[in-house]
């Protein structure tokens, strides 16, 4: 017997983007293009405003993140700069999870 777990459209979209990274890296690597991605988890943005405005959800979501808080966009700045710099010339086809260890809950 197989369990069916519902995953929302947004989750499926993210999973498909993550799966594309290694394929794109193989395709573009020979042309001098590195392909990497950052998987940020929950970030405090306009898109998450409704979740953060709901007191129950605003407590529940950070409660499942070991970091204990919503990410801010600037939390990803240094990782973005690294991937855009020559320091990452030999980093290709990777997805950097910057999700506060969300799956580790």
């Amino acid at each position: 017997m197989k369990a069916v777990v519902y995953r929302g459209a947004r989750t499926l979209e993210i999973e498909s983007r993550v799966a594309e990274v290694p394929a794109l890296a193989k395709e573009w690597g020979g042309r001098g293009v590195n392909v990497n991605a950052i998987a940020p988890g929950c970030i405090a943005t306009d898109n998450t405003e409704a979740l953060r405005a709901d007191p129950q959800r605003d407590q529940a979501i950070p409660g499942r993140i070991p970091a204990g808080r919503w990410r801010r966009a600037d939390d990803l700045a240094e990782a973005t700069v690294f991937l855009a710099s020559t320091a990452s010339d030999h980093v290709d086809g990777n997805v950097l999870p910057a999700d506060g260890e969300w799956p580790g809950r």
Side-chain angles (χ1 to χ4, degrees):
M1 187 180 261
K2 229 179 180 180
V4 177
V5 178
Y6 172 76
R7 292 193 312 250
R10 181 73 179 131
T11 302
L12 294 174
E13 178 187 348
I14 292 167
E15 288 174 353
S16 70
R17 299 284 180 237
V18 167
E20 289 175 347
V21 172
L24 288 170
K26 287 177 187 174
E27 182 178 341
W28 287 94
R31 298 178 183 146
V33 177
N34 288 11
V35 179
N36 295 291
I38 299 173
C42 294
I43 297 181
T45 65
D46 293 344
N47 289 344
T48 59
E49 188 173 348
L51 288 172
R52 291 179 289 116
D54 178 340
Q56 287 182 321
R57 297 298 301 269
D58 192 43
Q59 272 190 332
I61 291 172
R64 293 188 301 238
I65 301 170
R69 65 175 177 83
W70 288 83
R71 291 280 164 253
R72 296 180 311 268
D74 63 347
D75 286 335
L76 306 175
E78 291 182 23
T80 304
V81 169
F82 167 73
L83 290 174
S85 74
T86 57
S88 70
D89 280 354
H90 290 280
V91 178
D92 199 16
N94 291 290
V95 178
L96 174 64
D99 58 6
E101 208 48 54
W102 181 272
R105 61 182 168 95

